[in-house]
Amino acid sequence: MNLKSLTAAIVSAFCISLTLSFAQEEPLRFAFLTDLHYSQGGKSVQDLRRCIRDVNALDGLDFVLIGGDLTDFGTDEEIRDVKGMLDSLRTRYYTVAGNHDAKWSESGCNTFKEVFGYERFEFVCKGWRFIGCNCGPDMRMAPALIPQESMEWLKSLPESGKTIFINHYPQDTSVLNYFDVTRELKRIGTRFAIGGHWHRNTVLDYGGIPGVLGRSTLSAGKEPGYTIISIQDDSVTVRERRLNADGPVFEEPWFSKRLLPVEDKVAYDSDGLPSDYPWMRYEVNGLPSPSGKAVKEVWKYKDNSNIVAGFARRGGKAWYTTASGMVRCISLKDGRILWSERFPGKIFSTPAISGRYLVFGCTDGNVYALNPSNGKLRWKHKAQKSIVASPVIRDGKVFIGASDGCFRALDLKSGKPVWEYGDVDGFVECRSYADKEQVVFGTWGNKLYSLDPEDGTLQWVWKCYKPSRMYSPAAVWPVKSGEKIFIAVPDRTLYVLDARTGEELKSFKGSCRESVGISPDGAKVYCKSMFHKISSIDAASLEMDWSVETGAGYDISPTSISRVGEEVLMPTDKGNLLAFAASDGRLLWIHKISVALLNPLEAWADGDGEYILVSSMDGIVTLLRINHL
């Protein structure tokens, strides 16, 4: 080859090399830490500290993603402490909340938002858009549910060719509205989804969207570690970074894939449900009921926010609260909203009404009393922390717990304290039981308290002796019959206590999780298990009247069971309402309202029919009428 030819070949090779280098996408590299489960004084703190130190020693990271369950119990202190640790990262980081941050949150998810400054994020790095949001369930035990506010945010996002979604949960049937989520993700151009929750490296597919779940930062009998994700030329590589005793080790990639555009090929039915939807479908609403009774929707609409509480009702009106801080008054005739008022915090409190006062608690730390006619403020009382509990009004007093270790009796007309009991262990979530003899409530400190309603003096404390706060009589609304208190605990047991002493009289193991109910005359107590059974217990003899299969499948809803006429009403965590005969437990009818957890019901008889006012966590509000034969 002569000099001229050689020169031409060199120039040609250089041009090809230069062209390839420009075609080569600049590599993107980030760390993914998830399921930190920060608990003060626990091993989780040491594990996280080692992971942060190692991340800071790495070069070439563009950012860090945190995949939820930052805390073990969602306390204000845990959230602030873990934020302080994460702030020591050398590179920017973005985080989403997990179920542990939301379900057991003493602030009603307010502190997470205040401390980190957001509940959703969106940013672009090297041509890729990253989006992340919270997962729910907020404050109530149920499968995950992307909150309505986050769904509205997803729907508002424009299409972008290359998007990556971060959420704590896998976007499969672990999430009640998974099909709505993945439909929106495909619309906006999502090519990859990243999550945690399972504490192990896992590869999944969400109707065509490839997804991975990363390991937890916890050592859990092995070594702490986290995930490194690299993207180049539209291809992703996922590796584990394990922090062994003799030094950190990069494991071989456990997932690699070219991230291509995803087309939505899922078939949806007329109700918007996909073919793989595994639970009860809306078609049950059109089937003849076993009893022959006709269940009709008088009206139905969808709020633009999550609803995580029940109703107050009087005359032809009802009032409810939302997780976006709204209080609404509606007409029972047609569901029309008569007035709405917004408050500074999320609201998980079922309102109570008496006379000229509508009362509820708010996560901004206030108990509010409004004029029920127009929503105007009558008074407010400030606690030291958020309020996620629901009030009871009796004898001119408002009884309500809070997250500040205090249970209060407030004067209904002025809001001024009548008395305060300040030695509460754990925060209060429930609505208490109150009569002239006692006020009974549970807490997330494994305890059930009975106080004197006149002066707040302690009558007794019952403790659930379990190794974790998660086995607390806190979500259940206690009921009373005669001289017996009935409560349910997440250890799947219904406990019967002596109302005068708090001593345990009997327990029904495996019969119940966190949901009980009582007949209007107090003669029967109802409970449901996690695994498709509902039971009726004679409150006097403590003998089981009947126990039947529900057909509802696995269910962890804490919503109370109700009774109207001769029908026992069982709400579920997947939007189904079932009715059973009070006499023998026969299934009478089924009605599907939503795909999400049903909140506490309002049920009453009127003329020749019964009415049931019900809402769901994803914002459905409806009035049902059950016609007599």
Side-chain angles (χ1 to χ4, degrees), residues 203-218:
V203 179
L204 295 169
D205 182 274
Y206 310 130
I209 301 175
V212 297
L213 308 179
R215 62 152 294 165
S216 167
T217 57
L218 299 173

Side-chain angles (χ1 to χ4, degrees), residues 144-403:
L145 179 83
I146 304 299
Q148 186 65 18
E149 297 88 344
S150 289
M151 285 303 305
E152 294 298 322
W153 170 75
L154 272 179
K155 292 175 182 178
S156 73
L157 294 177
E159 188 277 334
S160 177
K162 298 194 296 185
T163 296
I164 294 175
F165 180 60
I166 298 89
N167 193 265
H168 179 64
Y169 272 88
Q171 299 307 302
D172 55 14
T173 53
S174 304
V175 178
L176 290 170
N177 55 346
Y178 69 97
F179 49 91
D180 281 335
V181 179
T182 54
R183 182 162 44 197
E184 291 302 321
L185 292 180
K186 292 171 186 176
R187 178 190 64 80
I188 64 176
T190 304
R191 300 189 184 186
F192 190 43
I194 305 169
H197 190 58
W198 288 4
H199 290 218
R200 63 179 185 271
N201 299 331
T202 307
V203 179
L204 295 169
D205 182 274
Y206 310 130
I209 301 175
V212 297
L213 308 179
R215 62 152 294 165
S216 167
T217 57
L218 299 173
S219 50
K222 298 181 289 187
E223 296 292 343
Y226 56 96
T227 304
I228 294 290
I229 300 178
S230 303
I231 302 176
Q232 189 169 24
D233 293 336
D234 290 352
S235 292
V236 65
T237 300
V238 183
R239 305 173 69 184
E240 181 178 343
R241 175 83 165 172
R242 189 183 294 273
L243 307 184
N244 295 333
D246 53 354
V249 174
F250 267 125
E251 302 290 345
E252 290 297 314
W254 55 269
F255 179 76
S256 297
K257 190 177 182 66
R258 186 164 177 79
L259 302 180
L260 301 174
V262 178
E263 181 182 351
D264 193 357
K265 297 181 180 180
V266 175
Y268 303 94
D269 65 18
S270 59
D271 298 303
L273 300 180
S275 56
D276 65 346
Y277 184 78
W279 305 298
M280 200 175 293
R281 292 174 174 268
Y282 289 96
E283 61 194 26
V284 301
N285 294 353
L287 299 176
S289 65
S291 64
K293 287 191 174 183
V295 182
K296 301 293 184 182
E297 290 178 356
V298 180
W299 48 259
K300 183 178 184 179
Y301 70 87
K302 187 164 187 175
D303 202 293
N304 60 5
S305 173
N306 270 25
I307 301 173
V308 201
F311 300 89
R313 177 183 62 86
R314 186 172 67 187
K317 298 178 183 179
W319 296 260
Y320 71 91
T321 61
T322 78
S324 61
M326 300 297 296
V327 178
R328 302 197 195 279
C329 175
I330 59 173
S331 165
L332 290 176
K333 179 180 179 181
D334 53 16
R336 181 167 47 94
I337 296 175
L338 303 177
W339 59 257
S340 295
E341 292 290 335
R342 182 179 292 277
F343 292 83
K346 298 172 184 284
I347 305 177
F348 299 98
S349 180
T350 294
I353 188 168
S354 178
R356 300 187 301 143
Y357 301 88
L358 178 76
V359 184
F360 62 93
C362 182
T363 58
D364 70 348
N366 283 298
V367 181
Y368 289 95
L370 310 182
N371 183 331
S373 298
N374 55 24
K376 300 304 180 184
L377 180 68
R378 291 200 180 278
W379 54 258
K380 64 179 180 179
H381 177 84
K382 182 69 173 176
Q384 298 304 307
K385 280 191 174 185
S386 295
I387 300 172
V388 296
S390 299
V392 170
I393 301 174
R394 183 180 174 84
D395 297 333
K397 300 189 210 51
V398 177
F399 299 103
I400 189 167
S403 298

Side-chain angles (χ1 to χ4, degrees), residues 364-606:
D364 70 348
N366 283 298
V367 181
Y368 289 95
L370 310 182
N371 183 331
S373 298
N374 55 24
K376 300 304 180 184
L377 180 68
R378 291 200 180 278
W379 54 258
K380 64 179 180 179
H381 177 84
K382 182 69 173 176
Q384 298 304 307
K385 280 191 174 185
S386 295
I387 300 172
V388 296
S390 299
V392 170
I393 301 174
R394 183 180 174 84
D395 297 333
K397 300 189 210 51
V398 177
F399 299 103
I400 189 167
S403 298
D404 59 0
C406 186
F407 191 93
R408 296 168 171 83
L410 306 176
D411 179 76
L412 176 62
K413 293 183 178 180
S414 67
K416 294 181 180 179
V418 177
W419 52 257
E420 296 182 350
Y421 177 78
D423 196 22
V424 176
D425 183 11
F427 72 94
V428 182
E429 174 187 337
C430 69
R431 184 174 74 181
S432 60
Y433 171 83
D435 62 18
K436 65 180 181 180
E437 297 172 336
Q438 61 190 144
V439 181
V440 180
F441 61 93
T443 76
W444 285 109
N446 295 86
K447 293 178 180 178
L448 189 80
Y449 293 80
S450 179
L451 305 181
D452 187 304
E454 291 302 316
D455 58 14
T457 55
L458 179 66
Q459 294 173 334
W460 51 259
V461 179
W462 177 85
K463 183 170 183 179
C464 182
Y465 288 96
K466 299 294 178 181
S468 168
R469 288 176 292 182
M470 293 172 189
Y471 293 101
S472 292
V476 63
W477 292 8
V479 299
K480 182 179 180 181
S481 177
E483 295 299 328
K484 304 182 186 76
I485 298 291
F486 296 80
I487 57 161
V489 178
D491 66 355
R492 310 180 193 180
T493 302
L494 176 71
Y495 292 93
V496 187
L497 309 179
D498 187 313
R500 296 163 297 184
T501 65
E503 294 182 8
E504 186 177 321
L505 302 175
K506 190 171 182 176
S507 63
F508 296 83
K509 297 187 182 300
S511 65
C512 197
R513 184 178 167 96
E514 294 175 291
S515 172
V516 298
I518 193 167
S519 60
D521 61 4
K524 306 295 180 183
V525 172
Y526 309 105
C527 61
K528 64 182 177 68
S529 73
M530 288 174 59
F531 298 100
H532 46 76
K533 277 199 172 183
I534 184 170
S535 305
S536 172
I537 297 167
D538 184 84
S541 67
L542 298 183
E543 296 297 326
M544 193 85 72
D545 291 320
W546 48 259
S547 184
V548 299
E549 295 282 333
T550 65
Y554 176 80
D555 179 77
I556 52 176
S557 164
T559 304
S560 299
I561 298 168
S562 299
R563 166 101 176 251
V564 59
E566 294 304 311
E567 300 179 19
V568 178
L569 306 175
M570 188 190 94
T572 75
D573 62 8
K574 299 176 184 68
N576 310 312
L577 182 61
L578 288 74
F580 303 88
S583 58
D584 57 12
R586 285 177 297 111
L587 179 66
L588 298 178
W589 52 263
I590 301 171
H591 195 83
K592 188 168 186 63
I593 292 162
S594 171
V595 299
L597 172 81
L598 297 185
N599 298 310
L601 315 172
E602 274 288 309
W604 67 97
D606 187 1

